[in-house]
Amino acid sequence: MACPCGSKLEYSDCCQPLHEGKDYAKTAEQLMRSRYSAFAKKQEQYILDTWYPSMRNDELNLKKDPTWWTGLEIVDTAGGLEADSKGEVEFIASYTVRKKEFKLHERSSFVQEDGHWFYVDGQLSP
Ligand SMILES: [Zn+2]
């Protein structure tokens, strides 16, 4: 099964080990991709665990969420590499809600602390 993040890799060779805690994202883009596929796979705990604690929305309830994520395109990145402490990733995520198609265009901010990347927040339609 292809990974939802659009890497063209198998899910088991891509985001699944991250979702299962067997590996972790080395770059902000990898974290962004794995969070996207966690939304697609309704891996709620992973989304919470990779969300910067003070910014986290604990109300997240994906089981009742009618969103179907259908594609991810990375538009731009800044920083976010292994040696960086901050990064930005701009992306367009496609999704459908009750058969209507939408696009989410966001520029997200990430920080790396103790070797782990976290999502901080995002700006819509930059
Ligand atoms: Zn993936």
Side-chain angles (χ1 to χ4, degrees), residues 25-109:
K26 310 293 190 298
T27 66
E29 180 179 339
Q30 198 184 5
L31 187 80
M32 160 63 224
R33 287 180 172 280
S34 66
R35 283 176 52 88
Y36 170 85
S37 53
F39 274 101
K41 295 268 183 196
K42 302 197 185 294
Q43 297 279 340
E44 208 167 281
Q45 194 57 49
Y46 184 79
I47 293 163
L48 294 173
D49 289 346
T50 55
W51 205 328
Y52 198 67
S54 62
M55 305 297 286
R56 189 180 291 159
N57 173 12
D58 291 313
E59 302 297 298
L60 191 69
N61 188 343
L62 296 184
K63 294 192 178 61
K64 288 183 183 161
D65 185 349
T67 305
W68 284 95
W69 296 94
T70 54
L72 175 68
E73 181 194 342
I74 303 291
V75 179
D76 187 39
T77 61
L81 301 178
E82 282 193 71
D84 293 319
S85 57
K86 286 182 181 173
E88 292 182 2
V89 180
E90 184 175 335
F91 64 91
I92 298 172
S94 305
Y95 63 99
T96 63
V97 178
R98 298 184 184 92
K99 297 189 175 135
K100 276 191 173 175
E101 291 181 32
F102 299 91
K103 285 189 191 300
L104 169 70
H105 187 177
E106 182 181 310
R107 192 171 179 94
S108 302
S109 304

Side-chain angles (χ1 to χ4, degrees), residues 3 5 7 14-15 37:
C3 192
C5 80
S7 63
C14 189
C15 295
S37 53

